[in-house]
RNA sequence: GACUUGUUAGCUCAGCUGGUAGAGCACAUCCCUUUUAAGGAUGGGGUCCUGGGUUCGAACCCCAGACAAGUCACCA
């Protein structure tokens, strides 16, 4: 179906044609060799003006101020914006002023890519600008960009803010909202500095399968897909933990992976169906070592990305300076609810939870009750980075039992701003214990717990060959980026967050279909006859006819009093 | 999945009690050679999210739906 173009889009298409008529290729193929950038000019012009006598730069036109024979415009490259000054008689020195009067003034628009050559100077108002001597069209833009104007105080006017449009058309968001671009640059810097931190230690970055026959390593509903040649179901991974541990069995002493994981669950401000997790496993270490390692890592990342360990987040200051507090989960519960979990058996604990006002039911075991107590009553207290440690064994089927207490495990979760950021274990490497824990999970799942894990027999087999004592840690990259960039929505740190598909092409309404049916029987047809034949109400007829002509399916020919409707092929 | 709010020009938004659809920016034409959220004058631009209903008459009221945001539920 033909697209309806707006007035501005039609004008730009006309300009495109005009440019071609004037011998200008609006989409040239040749390389355009720039020799500087907007930031280089803005940073270095004052101190080394001699370096900017002959510059060549390319970018997108972001604003234009035309004043007779002279004009100002701003062009934007990947670093920022700079003003350019264009004088008619300098870019078109001969009698022929077409380049200025026609090409620049009439047929170039905001959004077009141009290349300019010239020299840098300072205007009377004191703005570093480029005095243009030569101008080339590099790419014509056919859709008008939203115009965001920034005043002297740096305040944006008419900013492009509609979340739906910003996420669906992230390319536009990136062009007009510099803060958005900054967020994504920081995201990459964060990942790079984390990677450097691991590589410096000699750990090996690896890749493990995304398509897995058994979705293991976490409790979550997976996406299911089908492999035709193998005629088997495969799952998009919900975690990569069990594969990384297989590599530790295989003899690597430190492996890590930045992994896209997939979970077929609800979406909200902190959950996207695909998200990024970094998992690392290091042999001969325990969770205490991992806490120190994690602290150091976060300190270094914050320092490299932001230049400080003190992070502003939603008006709070979060300090990544080690050491972080270490609080056993049962102590945390005691502190914030007064409930000493160790004093109660399961039914008593359930009663206690009810007293505090938690919603609990009979299917919830002790582990789940503890989880609930912590999640509802304690979690939000931990704004500054805090390791919550020593979780009950039922909650952690892949984690080694605590060296001092078999009811607990050697596990920590790193809480920041009241949310979990990282999760780590002294890994369970006893194959017999591991199989039993899997079997316990199976029992839970038979009881109807849909969070319970599958048994991965190959993983148990790997453990039977022997896995060295190992500590592993997983950290949510998207959430870390959110913290460091002061964003509360995961969509703000993903280039292309998941959205429902956009509306399909408009389908015809019933009245439009009726009119079309009649018209197909005899085409063309007199308008009055057609109306009588269809037998629609005035309103429906009017709507139907308007709809059809706007879809360009019919035309109405008027000859005096005779109106004839034509069906287009 | 439930609830709340929203959807009007390319963008940001007004639109009263149901009575001819508005502003700023952008766009077009004209004036202007160092301007800057440039300015002045004039002008064009609309599937008021979609479909139904009520009404003499719907952007507005009612019903159903789409999409989004937020809250909750579910879920690390």
């Amino acid at each position: 179906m033909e697209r309806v173009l707006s007035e501005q889009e039609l004008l730009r298409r006309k300009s495109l044609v005009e440019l071609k008529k004037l011998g200008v290729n609006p989409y040239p193929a040749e390389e355009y060799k720039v020799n500087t950038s907007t930031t280089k000019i803005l940073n270095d012009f004052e101190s080394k003006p001699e370096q900017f006598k002959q510059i060549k730069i390319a970018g997108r036109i972001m604003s234009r101020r035309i004043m007779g024979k002279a004009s100002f415009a701003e062009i934007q490259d990947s670093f920022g914006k700079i003003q350019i000054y264009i004088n008619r008689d300098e870019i078109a020195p001969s009698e022929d002023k077409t380049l200025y009067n026609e090409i620049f003034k009439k047929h170039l628009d905001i959004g077009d890519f141009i290349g300019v050559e010239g020299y840098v100077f300072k205007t009377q108002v004191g703005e570093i600008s480029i005095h243009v001597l030569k101008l080339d069209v590099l790419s014509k833009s056919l859709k008008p960009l939203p115009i965001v104007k920034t005043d002297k105080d740096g305040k944006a006017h008419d900013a492009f803010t509609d979340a739906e449009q910003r996420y669906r058309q992230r390319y536009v968001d990136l062009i007009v909202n510099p803060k958005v671009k900054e967020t994504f640059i920081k995201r990459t810097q964060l990942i790079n500095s984390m990677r450097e931190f691991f590589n410096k230690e000699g750990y090996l970055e690896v890749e493990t399968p995304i398509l897995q026959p058994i979705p293991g390593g976490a409790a979550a509903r997976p996406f299911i897909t089908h492999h035709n040649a193998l005629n088997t179901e495969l799952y998009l991974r919900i975690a990569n933990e069990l594969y990384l541990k297989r590599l530790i069995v295989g003899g690597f002493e430190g492996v890590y992976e930045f992994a896209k994981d997939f979970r077929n669950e609800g979406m909200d401000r902190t959950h996207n169906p695909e998200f990024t997790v970094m998992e690392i496993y290091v042999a001969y270490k325990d969770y205490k070592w991992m806490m120190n390692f994690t602290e150091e890592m976060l300190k270094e990342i914050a320092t490299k990305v932001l230049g400080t360990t003190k992070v502003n987040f939603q008006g709070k200051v979060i300090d990544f300076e080690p050491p972080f507090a270490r609080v056993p989960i049962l102590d945390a519960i005691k502190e914030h609810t007064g409930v000493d979990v160790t004093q109660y058996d399961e039914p008593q604990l359930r009663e206690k939870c009810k007293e505090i006002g938690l919603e609990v039911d009979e299917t919830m075991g002790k582990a789940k009750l503890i989880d609930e107590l912590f999640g509802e009553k304690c979690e939000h207290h931990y704004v500054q980075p805090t390791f919550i440690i020593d979780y009950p064994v039922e909650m952690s089927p892949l984690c080694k039992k605590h060296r001092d207490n078999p009811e607990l495990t050697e596990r920590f979760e790193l809480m920041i701003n009241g949310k979990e950021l990282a999760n780590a274990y002294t890994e369970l490497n006893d194959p017999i214990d591991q199989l039993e824990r899997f079997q316990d999970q199976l029992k839970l799942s038979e009881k109807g717990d849909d969070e319970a894990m599958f048994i991965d027999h190959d993983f148990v087999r790997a453990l039977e060959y022997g896995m060295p004592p190992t500590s592993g840690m997983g950290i949510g990259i998207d959430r870390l980026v959110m913290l460091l960039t002061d964003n509360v929505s995961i969509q703000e740190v993903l280039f292309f967050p998941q959205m429902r598909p956009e509306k399909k092409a408009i389908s015809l309404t019933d009245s439009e279909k009726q009119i079309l049916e009649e018209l197909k029987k005899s085409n063309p047809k007199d308008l009055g006859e057609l109306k009588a034949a269809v037998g629609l109400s005035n309103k429906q007829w009017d709507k139907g006819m308007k709809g059809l002509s706007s879809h360009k399916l019919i035309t109405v020919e008027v000859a005096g009093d005779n109106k004839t409707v034509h069906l287009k092929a």
Side-chain angles (χ1 to χ4, degrees), chain A residues 37-221:
Chain A
S37 71
T38 54
T39 36
K40 266 188 219 157
I41 296 171
L42 294 174
N43 289 337
D44 298 344
F45 175 67
E46 302 262 28
S47 53
K48 302 165 199 154
E50 70 284 356
Q51 289 184 3
F52 299 99
K53 294 234 186 318
Q54 275 192 308
I55 61 116
K56 192 170 179 182
I57 192 169
R60 193 190 281 276
I61 301 174
M62 295 304 285
S63 67
R64 298 199 307 160
R65 294 182 283 281
I66 294 170
M67 306 169 301
K69 288 174 227 160
S71 295
F72 287 91
E74 278 177 301
I75 59 171
Q76 173 170 293
D77 66 8
S78 81
F79 304 98
K81 283 186 216 174
I82 193 162
Q83 178 169 265
I84 63 173
Y85 170 77
I86 299 176
N87 184 300
R88 184 189 72 187
D89 298 324
E90 288 184 89
I91 65 164
S94 69
E95 282 304 301
D96 180 9
K97 304 297 182 192
T98 310
L99 178 61
Y100 184 79
N101 286 339
E102 298 296 317
I103 296 174
F104 175 72
K105 273 171 70 173
K106 292 201 174 151
H107 304 313
L108 288 182
D109 294 287
I110 290 173
D112 293 349
F113 283 91
I114 58 169
V116 298
E117 291 175 59
Y119 60 89
V120 179
F121 75 113
K122 218 170 175 181
T123 65
Q124 290 180 352
V125 193
E127 181 162 348
I128 296 170
S129 309
I130 299 169
H131 195 122
V132 177
L133 300 173
K134 190 167 181 300
L135 181 147
D136 290 290
V137 177
L138 299 182
S139 184
K140 179 76 196 153
S141 155
L142 297 182
K143 282 182 92 68
L145 279 175
I147 305 297
V148 180
K149 294 205 170 188
T150 311
D151 64 22
K152 287 168 218 148
D153 308 324
K155 207 177 132 205
H157 296 258
D158 298 333
F160 180 61
T161 52
D162 182 75
E164 180 170 3
Q165 293 202 74
R166 287 183 47 235
Y167 301 153
R168 285 198 200 277
Q169 301 185 53
R170 181 69 89 183
Y171 35 87
V172 176
D173 195 24
L174 288 164
I175 295 165
V176 303
N177 291 327
K179 281 236 167 88
V180 173
K181 199 172 189 178
E182 247 174 66
T183 294
F184 287 100
I185 292 171
K186 280 186 183 152
R187 181 182 175 116
T188 298
Q189 285 171 343
L190 183 157
I191 290 171
N192 285 347
S193 59
M194 196 180 283
R195 178 175 280 130
E196 276 165 33
F197 188 83
F198 298 148
N199 288 347
K200 206 169 58 194
E201 300 294 328
Y203 304 144
L204 188 72
E205 181 167 11
V206 297
E207 294 180 280
T208 63
I210 291 170
L211 289 174
Q212 300 180 349
I214 298 168
R221 266 164 45 211

